[in-house]
């Protein structure tokens, strides 16, 4: 219920000046990605999965973390603050 995933394959991307295959993961969450310590743990796990599943080296993957506030997410005709 609280996880949404969008995959866009085949996009032209350049990472570190190279157009070799690469990936970018964008993670946004309420109360889960707010500190460096939290994101370090998440990053390690995400890199393990992404390198294994995509066959990319860790240098070809970038993860961006965005902490959100409950009022920034709308659901069921309201915002998460009230759910």
């Amino acid at each position: 219920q609280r996880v949404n995933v969008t995959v866009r394959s085949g996009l032209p991307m350049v990472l570190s000046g190279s157009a070799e295959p690469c990936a970018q993961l964008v993670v946004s969450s309420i109360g889960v990605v707010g500190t460096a310590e939290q994101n370090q743990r998440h990053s390690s796990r995400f890199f393990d999965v992404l390198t294994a599943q995509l066959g990319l080296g860790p240098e070809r993957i970038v993860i961006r973390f965005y902490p959100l506030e409950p009022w920034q997410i709308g659901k069921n005709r309201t915002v998460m603050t009230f759910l």
Side-chain angles (χ1 to χ4, degrees), residues 25-44:
L25 174 64
V26 178
V27 180
S28 55
S29 180
I30 299 169
V32 177
V33 297
T35 69
E37 291 77 13
Q38 287 174 319
N39 293 347
Q40 185 178 36
R41 289 189 302 272
H42 299 314
S43 183
S44 178

Side-chain angles (χ1 to χ4, degrees), residues 11-20 22 24 60 62:
L11 295 176
M13 291 178 59
V14 174
L15 179 62
S16 300
S18 170
E20 291 297 313
C22 60
Q24 175 178 257
R60 300 302 300 155
V62 172

Side-chain angles (χ1 to χ4, degrees), residues 1-19:
Q1 263 189 359
R2 301 214 178 227
V3 176
N4 298 296
V5 177
T6 300
V7 176
R8 294 183 185 168
S9 63
L11 295 176
M13 291 178 59
V14 174
L15 179 62
S16 300
S18 170

